[in-house]
Amino acid sequence: MPRIPSIRAAVVSAAGALSLIAVSFLLGGDDSRPPREAGKTPNEWFLRQRAWPHPDINQTARLEAWERAAELRSAEQRSGPAWDPVGPRNIGGRVADVACHPTDSNIVYVGGAEGGILKTTNGGTTWTPTFDDESSLSVGSVAIDPNDPETIWVGTGEPNGGGGSVTYGGTGVFRSTNGGATWTNMGLPDSRYIGRVVVDPSNSDRVFVAVLGAMWSTNPERGVYRTTNGGSSWEQVHAINDSTGAVDLVVHPTDSNLVYAAMWERTRAPDNLNYGGDGSGIWRSTNGGDAWSELTNGLPGGASVGRIGISIAASSPNTLYAIYADASPGSFAGVFKTTDGGDSWAQTNDGNMGGVYATYGWWFGNIRVDPTNPNRVFVLGYDFFRTTNGGGSWHGASGSMHVDHHGQAFAPNGTIYEGNDGGMYRSTNGGTAWTKLGDLPLTQFYTVEVDHQFPDRRYGGTQDNGTNRTLTGGDNDWHNILGGDGFYCQVDPTNNAYVYAEWQYGNLNRSTNGGSSFMGATSGLSGRRNWSMPVMMDPSNPSTLYTGTQWVYRSTNRAAFWSAISPDLTDGPSGGNNTYATITTIAVAATDPDVIWAGTDDSNVWVTTNGGTNWTKVDAALPERWVTRVAVDPSDATISYVTISGFRWDDPLPHVFRSTNFGASWTDISSNLPEVPVNDIVLDPQSPQRLYVATDFGVFTSPGVGGPWSALGTGLPNVVVTDLELHDPTRSLVAGTYGRSMWTLELDQPTGVEDVVAAVSAVRLRPVAPNPAPGGRAAIRFSLPRAAEASVRIYDVTGRLVRRLVDEPLAAGERTLQWDGRDDSGRLVADGVYLVRLVADGVSRTRKVTVLR
């Protein structure tokens, strides 16, 4: 979520607070919170681009596209290169729910907002993904059967009514009977968003599900659902109207006829939201869900009631707590307590928690009672509060935790696990102190970047965790360099002292010291800025940059000042409280910097061939959809590509187009590519007709224009891939995912079925080992299918020859060379990344190795 000034910072003087917040934000970190822009709420960027111009996604088309993508991935699983996860594991990402094993305190399950299910069997030291191939990795709730802990239930579809970080709705309820090893979809396909799953503690076949229903439209499949046969069939046992769903639910631990449900009326449209209404309230059933009555004595009511969370004290089940938000804008409306099973309620002494929700309580809405102590209760909001006296007083208890709290669970040994937008935390002293847990690859990347000079330095803009990077290529040493929600990040390929990064709505910053510190870089910019404002460098002159609002801007002095070079390229602003009609993508031809392309969120595509003096609109033959990328052939400025988002409604919807005449005409080259949003396209510099696309269901490649397309590599989860970056000197393709961190693929390995067949007798260069190479000492293994003239040379990343290891005819077979970390003059090479290049039998193979002393 977009940041607002820290509640904790508000205790200092006004001038001091602004100073502290500004410094903290520019340095990054968990307390980096840019102020919300006046008059704006967090936007619907993620979902809006996939639905536009329709109000919602066609779920049937989405599932059909997923099935087609799964078929292509299945074909690739038989062979092909593997994607490598490269982190971060130490930054974290949004956790939607947490569940602890009822008897083994070391076993915990985490539900990622868009990262699936991860399991630990050692108390959070390491985590294993268990849900990677299912039809939805957006998790709303995780529940463990208390009678059979090997049975796990998962409700898909994150229930938090977020904005720029909205994930997909789910595809129903899943069950595992072997501790998460395998899963079965148990139904409720139209539930879309699930707030809670609860297993009857006295009858494992009876399960209750709190279904919120669709976010962007009304639907009758909302309310409380129940199965009495372990999920073979479901019955809607409580419903109010087609705008009100169930968001939370608890069952009495010893009398499972007592069921409590928190109902939430909420509707949302692209230009407005209404997160409350008369349908919101708490209901109780005394006969296992057959009949329900609303609880009103002492509780808020009416159209102003927003999201509600509820929790029952397991050790004193007549005691329940409920937390309320108001409908608009979503501020904290109180914590209420009952000690008579819900007959009467009273507000707790919560006056000091006025800011616990900031102004978007619909993003949180959870409260938890310690199962062994009915007086110890935790409030999960923007901030994190605790009472130890049953609500007599409340105190902040977040410590150093990240903000935006969603999930909490209690292990049988008293350990508490807490999940928020920054990952997972653990407390062993009742919530007084918290320790962040690592090894959790749930970061949601919007964009990725690679330092061309030092390719192990990877960067990325992330949801709610700012802009992060690693300087070593490690997966556990990432750090934050700019706060907020991170978006486009660019590193000058010729001088990496210049780094550009931004936070939401185009708040661009630049660094002149390699990312150690940043300064504002928006001088001269005005107009409407997309949630993710594009920022691109001229490939032939990196000191020239381009960005866009509704106008294209150019800077010739490394973003110190910007000048508009186009008219308004959109169809004009939309109404409501969100920013649309903006430029979403810009591309500059590497062979002719006067050729500049721009695409918009309202389906416009423009090109100039004279540096911005004149612009031509060229989208008449393209679908009316959000334009995600434009790209130009690196060796021919007349050839360009456009990709779009969205799912089809009626007619087939192609997503990749090619033009050979500056957009005068377009050819659909989607071929057998699944009809799924395409988020990025990369042209291979060594063979520009080979294409790589990032889609909502993985990465696909085509060996030539027009297909066929195949899944690229193996091992990548079924997760949204938002961005790709190809570092050609190392032949490494980097993928940023929205929920499972960052991955890399070595492109010199076979990348498709045809390549696999050809590789049976191919020249092969194995990965260098060890890597990193201590002192530069490393083994280089390669094989030749037949006798051939061969050379093995080592280069630095600038292309300078460092060492000749072999340059002579070689017999067929496999051999190993040893590199001692020295150049041709016998000098020890400096630390850094080097390229090992094998040339033989008319082909070239390259591997990278990092030297560390």
Side-chain angles (χ1 to χ4, degrees):
M1 298 300 301
R3 303 298 200 182
I4 65 170
S6 169
I7 296 170
R8 293 183 289 278
V11 298
V12 301
S13 67
L18 289 173
S19 155
L20 288 172
I21 292 167
V23 170
S24 173
F25 176 65
L26 289 176
L27 292 178
D30 285 350
D31 280 327
S32 305
R33 303 175 181 91
R36 178 176 299 169
E37 297 184 41
K40 292 182 180 179
T41 61
N43 76 16
E44 297 85 1
W45 178 87
F46 185 93
L47 199 69
R48 173 72 184 267
Q49 68 178 278
R50 288 156 175 81
W52 193 86
H54 302 283
D56 204 351
I57 287 172
N58 182 342
Q59 292 297 318
T60 300
R62 175 177 173 260
L63 284 175
E64 290 174 354
W66 172 79
E67 290 171 355
R68 176 59 183 148
E71 291 173 1
L72 293 179
R73 285 197 304 271
S74 178
E76 184 67 10
Q77 294 302 321
R78 294 192 293 269
S79 56
W83 287 92
D84 294 321
V86 293
R89 291 180 173 272
N90 62 311
I91 297 297
R94 191 161 76 257
V95 171
D97 200 18
V98 185
C100 291
H101 193 286
T103 59
D104 188 337
S105 297
N106 286 317
I107 297 178
V108 184
Y109 295 85
V110 163
E114 187 65 28
I117 300 295
L118 291 96
K119 176 183 181 180
T120 180
T121 58
N122 52 23
T125 301
T126 58
W127 299 86
T128 302
T130 71
F131 205 71
D132 280 2
D133 296 322
E134 304 308 323
S135 55
S136 174
L137 268 63
S138 176
V139 175
S141 179
V142 187
I144 301 176
D145 186 339
N147 308 302
D148 177 11
E150 285 294 289
T151 297
I152 318 298
W153 292 82
V154 170
T156 59
E158 182 194 13
N160 306 312
S165 45
V166 167
T167 55
Y168 276 129
T171 54
V173 178
F174 291 76
R175 184 185 67 185
S176 172
T177 58
N178 51 17
T182 59
W183 298 88
T184 302
N185 188 307
M186 303 304 295
L188 298 183
D190 296 318
S191 53
R192 302 291 292 277
Y193 298 92
I194 289 176
R196 195 72 58 212
V197 179
V198 180
V199 182
D200 185 332
S202 64
N203 180 1
S204 296
D205 283 335
R206 189 160 76 163
V207 181
F208 296 90
V209 179
V211 172
L212 264 175
M215 179 180 294
W216 302 90
S217 58
T218 59
N219 68 320
E221 295 86 4
R222 301 170 183 258
V224 178
Y225 283 78
R226 179 185 67 190
T227 178
T228 59
N229 52 20
S232 295
S233 62
W234 296 88
E235 178 186 6
Q236 186 187 48
V237 294
H238 182 51
I240 294 177
N241 57 48
D242 62 5
S243 301
T244 301
V247 67
D248 209 352
L249 190 148
V250 294
V251 177
H252 193 288
T254 59
D255 181 3
S256 55
N257 283 320
L258 283 172
V259 186
Y260 301 82
M263 308 299 289
W264 181 22
E265 181 173 336
R266 61 111 166 87
T267 56
R268 190 159 193 165
D271 297 321
N272 62 79
L273 58 87
N274 181 20
Y275 277 163
D278 291 326
S280 300
I282 295 176
W283 293 69
R284 178 179 63 189
S285 173
T286 59
N287 54 12
D290 290 337
W292 297 79
S293 59
E294 187 174 6
L295 305 180
T296 59
N297 185 9
L299 292 173
S304 64
V305 176
R307 181 170 177 171
I308 304 167
I310 190 169
S311 186
I312 192 168
S315 60
S316 178
N318 279 333
T319 299
L320 294 91
Y321 294 83
I323 187 167
Y324 278 68
D326 66 24
S328 179
S331 300
F332 175 68
V335 171
F336 298 82
K337 177 183 179 180
T338 178
T339 57
D340 55 14
D343 291 338
S344 61
W345 298 75
Q347 187 166 356
T348 64
N349 184 27
D350 52 33
N352 66 328
M353 283 201 295
V356 69
Y357 274 177
T359 55
Y360 44 100
W362 33 265
W363 185 240
F364 323 105
N366 283 302
I367 189 167
R368 295 288 184 271
V369 186
D370 188 319
T372 64
N373 184 351
N375 291 315
R376 186 158 59 188
V377 187
F378 299 86
V379 162
L380 285 66
Y382 167 81
D383 216 330
F384 185 82
F385 275 73
R386 178 184 65 173
T387 180
T388 57
N389 54 16
S393 59
W394 295 85
H395 304 281
S398 60
S400 61
M401 285 198 294
H402 194 285
V403 296
D404 295 355
H405 303 271
H406 305 290
Q408 186 177 359
F410 302 83
N413 66 353
T415 299
I416 307 173
Y417 293 87
E418 205 275 346
N420 52 51
D421 277 17
M424 282 293 295
Y425 293 78
R426 179 179 61 203
S427 174
T428 57
N429 57 7
T432 300
W434 297 89
T435 301
K436 184 165 185 175
L437 300 177
D439 194 49
L440 202 66
L442 289 175
T443 306
Q444 294 169 285
F445 278 100
Y446 289 112
T447 61
V448 298
E449 171 67 330
V450 177
D451 184 330
H452 185 79
Q453 295 175 299
F454 295 92
D456 279 347
R457 297 181 181 179
R458 303 185 186 101
Y459 293 71
T462 69
Q463 192 276 318
D464 214 29
N465 285 282
T467 300
N468 296 274
R469 71 175 176 185
T470 173
L471 296 177
T472 69
D475 64 2
N476 207 39
D477 63 351
W478 290 66
H479 60 277
N480 182 276
I481 60 172
L482 191 69
D485 285 57
F487 291 95
Y488 275 84
C489 183
Q490 299 284 349
V491 180
D492 189 318
T494 61
N495 184 350
N496 61 11
Y498 292 96
V499 180
Y500 308 89
E502 66 174 338
W503 42 279
Q504 61 265 27
Y505 289 120
N507 286 281
L508 181 64
N509 289 260
R510 71 179 186 134
S511 172
T512 59
N513 56 13
S516 296
S517 62
F518 284 84
M519 65 190 81
T522 59
S523 181
L525 292 180
S526 64
R528 300 182 297 273
R529 303 180 196 178
N530 192 270
W531 176 251
S532 177
M533 184 181 76
V535 181
M536 304 300 295
M537 286 182 289
D538 183 335
S540 62
N541 179 12
S543 64
T544 297
L545 289 91
Y546 293 85
T547 189
T549 58
Q550 65 263 44
W551 305 291
V552 174
Y553 281 85
R554 178 168 54 208
S555 171
T556 57
N557 53 11
R558 291 192 163 97
F561 187 81
W562 298 89
S563 300
I565 63 167
S566 80
D568 187 340
L569 300 183
T570 74
D571 294 335
S574 61
N577 56 7
N578 295 300
T579 303
Y580 295 105
T582 61
I583 291 170
T584 55
T585 178
I586 296 171
V588 183
T591 56
D592 184 351
D594 285 336
V595 176
I596 307 165
W597 288 79
T600 73
D601 54 17
D602 51 6
S603 77
N604 296 335
V605 177
W606 296 77
V607 63
T608 176
T609 58
N610 53 17
T613 302
N614 305 102
W615 290 82
T616 304
K617 194 168 184 288
V618 294
D619 53 60
L622 297 176
E624 188 82 359
R625 293 296 178 128
W626 184 300
V627 179
T628 53
R629 284 292 191 276
V630 288
V632 185
D633 189 299
S635 58
D636 188 342
T638 67
I639 299 175
S640 54
Y641 297 81
V642 166
T643 64
I644 63 169
S645 191
F647 292 91
R648 67 172 175 82
W649 276 91
D650 298 313
D651 297 329
L653 181 63
H655 287 80
V656 185
F657 297 84
R658 182 176 189 259
S659 173
T660 58
N661 51 17
F662 295 111
S665 61
W666 294 95
T667 301
D668 168 22
I669 60 170
S670 305
S671 182
N672 64 321
L673 188 69
E675 292 183 334
V676 60
V678 174
N679 304 311
D680 193 14
I681 184 168
V682 170
L683 284 62
D684 194 323
Q686 294 192 17
S687 178
Q689 290 193 342
R690 176 174 286 280
L691 308 175
Y692 309 97
V693 293
T695 80
D696 278 12
F697 295 145
V699 181
F700 297 87
T701 184
S702 171
V705 175
W709 295 86
S710 60
L712 180 63
T714 64
L716 194 66
N718 176 37
V719 66
V720 174
V721 180
T722 51
D723 199 21
L724 296 172
E725 184 73 21
L726 197 166
H727 185 260
D728 190 46
T730 59
R731 299 299 294 156
S732 179
L733 185 67
V734 180
T737 74
Y738 195 72
R740 287 296 300 280
S741 295
M742 193 178 289
W743 299 69
T744 63
L745 186 79
E746 299 297 330
L747 288 178
D748 278 334
Q749 302 177 64
T751 56
V753 175
E754 294 177 0
D755 292 333
V756 171
V757 174
V760 173
S761 59
V763 173
R764 297 194 179 195
L765 177 62
R766 309 294 182 183
V768 180
N771 193 7
R777 298 183 179 277
I780 300 168
R781 293 192 305 130
F782 63 97
S783 61
L784 304 180
R786 50 188 162 267
E789 190 79 25
S791 71
V792 178
R793 301 180 180 185
I794 296 173
Y795 300 83
D796 65 18
V797 292
T798 68
R800 181 180 65 87
L801 177 63
V802 173
R803 180 75 177 270
R804 294 176 178 85
L805 293 178
V806 166
D807 202 349
E808 62 187 48
L810 294 177
E814 185 160 325
R815 53 185 35 81
T816 300
L817 303 177
Q818 298 292 333
W819 181 38
D820 58 4
R822 296 178 183 272
D823 63 16
D824 278 335
S825 299
R827 296 183 296 262
L828 291 172
V829 301
D831 288 2
V833 176
Y834 294 84
L835 310 178
V836 179
R837 182 162 298 157
L838 165 67
V839 178
D841 203 23
V843 297
S844 173
R845 298 285 183 261
T846 304
R847 293 285 185 179
K848 66 178 178 179
V849 58
T850 301
V851 173
L852 293 176
R853 300 191 186 279

